[in-house]
Amino acid sequence: MNVIIPTQESQMGHIIEKVRHGQRLTLEDGVFLYQSEDLLTIGQLANEVALRKNGKKVYFIENMSLYFTNVCEAHCAFCNFRRDEGAPGAYTLSGEQMIEYVEQHIHPGVREFHIVGGHNTNVPFQYYVDSLKALKEKYPDVTLKAYTAAEIDFFSRISGLSYKEVLEELMKAGLQSLTGGGAEILSDHYRKKMRVDKADVSQYLDVHRTAHQLGLRTHTTMLYGSIETKEDRIKHLMQIRELQDETNGFLVFIPLSMQPINPKAGIRRRNSAFEDLKTIAISRLMLDNFQHIKAYFINIGVQLTQVALTMGASDAHGTIVKEKISHAAGALTPEGITREDLIWLIKGAGRIPVERDTFYNEIKIYE
């Protein structure tokens, strides 16, 4: 009996066969892909999956990022956005103040407010409810995609309400979807090491599970590029894949490339373009039950985003207007982008730009 020792080529060939026949990739498959240097094969395979799911369509939205407060009880090692109450730069806006900010910066066509912020213990849960209510009353036609799962867990702690009760209160105020942040890496070891003193792995997943049970479609992320192993990343993807099997409530997965705290940090302190593209492609291959993988230009830049559209990404995010969290952490990218530039970027990758709403309903196709 001949014993055949698997080679890199035979293992990659096996993965290609599995993907093309719709078979689910394993932890071992995902780790192998991360260890492989064959980015072009991985990217080409991810591109096949993206084309199979969405054709040549790449989605974007006219949206605007809002941050009611940067005061936060958590001290996550990677965050440069948070402030202590009373510290220089700390702020907490009322609904009226936020509306004033929006009126100064909003542009015609904005369909979504993307709202996140700090875990501010100096205001009650009702403050967060009223914040949404004020926006919904002023801008009834704009979708409120608000708060992370970690924020929902925080609201539960300060209010004494269950996740379900917190979400129901926010939905009455106008909440229509949850943002994906707060996931970081879904590993308790990682969270302890990186001082992620907010919702743990099971709590993050349970908030999204509860939201899906209430009929909310939500977003989910992975913040990669610090102390986690490649196996940690694949296990993260498998945990959200498992929840998606259960609820089918996630709209999109967003890989977030870690930013250094200092904007002047050199390239050795940043993820490489190779690593960013590989992560997007592997995400597309592992998350067979997700319709979309997003290329987030805020973290990887607009030109790499364009390349990512040929390596598994089918969403180029949105106009944003003025992003603050990644830029506080040292991002060198634009704080926002115009609709025209997004259309140009998508067409330049040989794709068809599709303007969407929060829920991926198509608004306009730019042939």
Side-chain angles (χ1 to χ4, degrees):
M1 175 178 169
N2 293 326
V3 177
I4 299 172
I5 299 171
T7 63
Q8 289 270 329
E9 291 77 15
S10 68
Q11 194 163 350
M12 183 66 84
H14 179 61
I15 289 172
I16 291 169
E17 285 301 304
K18 284 176 80 171
V19 171
R20 288 180 174 166
H21 287 90
Q23 295 171 17
R24 177 159 283 185
L25 298 188
T26 63
L27 173 66
E28 293 72 26
D29 293 332
V31 172
F32 170 81
L33 291 173
Y34 259 122
Q35 291 169 342
S36 170
E37 295 176 1
D38 192 356
L39 175 62
L40 293 182
T41 296
I42 297 167
Q44 182 182 353
L45 195 59
N47 187 50
E48 287 181 23
V49 175
L51 289 172
R52 194 159 68 223
K53 285 183 174 288
N54 300 292
K56 288 196 166 187
K57 290 178 176 179
V58 169
Y59 295 79
F60 72 93
I61 188 169
E62 287 263 16
N63 67 344
M64 186 175 183
S65 289
L66 305 179
Y67 313 85
F68 273 93
T69 181
N70 64 352
V71 175
C72 190
E73 66 167 7
H75 293 80
C76 303
F78 46 78
C79 182
N80 207 36
F81 173 75
R82 70 160 306 280
R83 295 290 184 273
D84 290 320
E85 178 74 5
Y91 70 88
T92 302
L93 302 182
S94 67
E96 292 71 28
Q97 288 171 316
M98 181 55 81
I99 286 168
E100 189 179 325
Y101 171 86
V102 172
E103 287 180 337
Q104 289 170 1
H105 295 90
I106 199 168
H107 53 82
V110 166
R111 300 181 182 280
E112 173 191 282
F113 291 140
H114 176 106
I115 304 163
V116 292
H119 300 189
N120 188 343
T121 56
N122 300 284
V123 291
F125 171 53
Q126 192 61 41
Y127 163 82
Y128 297 95
V129 176
D130 292 342
S131 296
L132 296 190
K133 203 174 288 182
L135 283 173
K136 200 63 186 175
E137 286 173 1
K138 179 70 177 177
Y139 303 100
D141 298 328
V142 179
T143 299
L144 298 188
K145 183 179 79 177
Y147 306 134
T148 65
E151 285 174 277
I152 300 301
D153 176 72
F154 168 70
F155 299 157
S156 174
R157 282 192 285 112
I158 63 172
S159 67
L161 300 173
S162 67
Y163 293 161
K164 182 173 183 283
E165 290 166 334
V166 165
L167 289 164
E168 285 173 338
E169 284 303 305
L170 293 170
M171 288 167 72
K172 284 181 207 165
L175 177 73
Q176 291 163 276
S177 179
L178 293 184
T179 69
E184 323 316 355
I185 295 290
L186 294 175
S187 152
D188 289 324
H189 170 73
Y190 168 95
R191 296 171 103 74
K192 184 177 180 182
K193 203 90 162 140
M194 293 295 283
R195 305 198 309 274
V196 185
D197 45 354
K198 53 188 180 185
D200 63 23
V201 175
S202 62
Q203 289 166 333
Y204 178 89
L205 294 170
D206 200 36
V207 168
H208 281 281
R209 178 182 290 107
T210 305
H212 298 166
Q213 289 168 348
L214 289 171
L216 292 176
R217 305 295 303 281
T218 69
H219 306 67
T220 189
T221 62
M222 176 176 73
L223 181 66
Y224 65 92
S226 58
I227 64 163
E228 82 281 355
T229 64
K230 301 300 191 286
E231 189 171 313
D232 287 334
R233 296 185 194 177
I234 299 301
K235 285 180 176 176
H236 177 114
L237 295 175
M238 292 175 72
Q239 287 180 91
I240 59 170
R241 185 174 74 182
E242 189 177 321
L243 181 55
Q244 183 75 333
D245 277 342
E246 181 187 330
T247 66
N248 195 35
F250 289 120
L251 290 161
V252 61
F253 172 70
I254 310 111
L256 298 173
S257 185
M258 178 76 81
Q259 303 299 303
I261 293 296
N262 185 354
K264 295 179 182 175
I267 60 171
R268 286 174 292 168
R269 296 284 308 284
R270 299 174 184 274
N271 286 319
S272 68
F274 196 89
E275 190 76 1
D276 287 333
L277 289 173
K278 191 188 278 190
T279 299
I280 286 168
I282 291 172
S283 299
R284 178 63 286 170
L285 295 173
M286 292 298 299
L287 298 177
D288 51 30
N289 54 4
F290 274 66
Q291 190 70 23
H292 299 287
I293 306 296
K294 183 176 290 186
Y296 189 48
F297 72 84
I298 287 292
N299 284 22
I300 67 172
V302 290
Q303 289 173 303
L304 202 60
T305 292
Q306 190 176 51
V307 178
L309 302 181
T310 69
M311 292 194 170
S314 55
D315 188 288
H317 198 56
T319 48
I320 296 177
V321 181
K322 196 170 178 63
E323 196 279 339
K324 292 184 180 180
I325 292 177
S326 290
H327 285 86
L332 302 177
T333 53
E335 292 179 322
I337 193 170
T338 66
R339 173 196 288 177
E340 291 71 28
D341 282 348
L342 273 170
I343 292 168
W344 174 88
L345 181 149
I346 294 166
K347 283 187 173 179
R351 295 299 196 256
I352 301 167
V354 181
E355 187 174 351
R356 63 172 176 86
D357 66 9
T358 301
F359 310 102
Y360 288 85
N361 296 307
E362 297 179 1
I363 306 301
K364 184 174 181 182
I365 300 173
Y366 295 84
E367 295 283 4

